[in-house]
Amino acid sequence: MESTRLDRWLWAVRLTKTRPDAAAACRGGHVRVNNKPAKPATPVQAGDEVRARVHDTTRIVEVVRVIQKRVGAADAAACFIDNTPAPPADAVIPVARRERGAGRPTKRERRTLDEFRAGRF
């Protein structure tokens, strides 16, 4: 087997949950093969680079092995190399918290919380 449909491969290697989801992502312009927009029937071969926007994350994978049937997660992971860059480290934002059962904040505490939330603290 040298090539297969893009939507079938995306589903088989578990990048999308269902095959219709994969086809919809292709039709919506969220999938590119070798930096070209791809339709669901675009053939995928070993060595191709697939960029798919899935769940608000752009996954960049290189096709290692072409499969048409859905397989176990361990076997599916062996069918591609994930070149997705690591997400940026989120800055730790302190959260204003009060002791449970402390009652309503006083006017002074409310002003302090408002300043804190506005970033002026």
Side-chain angles (χ1 to χ4, degrees), residues 6-111:
L6 176 61
D7 61 343
R8 180 178 279 187
W9 186 81
L10 289 172
W11 167 74
V13 297
R14 299 172 178 256
L15 287 180
T16 58
K17 200 167 191 175
T18 64
R19 189 168 167 197
D21 285 347
C26 293
R27 282 193 300 273
H30 300 291
V31 181
R32 298 175 75 84
V33 176
N34 296 328
N35 286 328
K36 295 179 185 169
K39 294 182 178 179
T42 301
V44 176
Q45 304 173 27
D48 286 347
E49 180 188 70
V50 178
R51 291 177 179 260
R53 184 162 175 81
V54 181
H55 304 297
D56 298 329
T57 305
T58 301
R59 300 278 309 264
I60 303 169
V61 297
E62 181 182 340
V63 179
V64 173
R65 194 173 82 204
V66 177
I67 58 173
Q68 292 187 3
K69 300 272 185 176
R70 195 165 172 101
V71 294
D75 294 335
C79 294
F80 63 89
I81 298 171
D82 196 355
N83 296 327
T84 306
D90 293 337
V92 177
I93 300 172
V95 178
R97 297 196 184 235
R98 291 180 43 84
E99 292 291 324
R100 186 177 176 108
R104 293 180 60 172
T106 62
K107 193 171 194 176
R108 182 178 185 181
E109 290 172 335
R110 239 185 9 251
R111 286 181 181 149

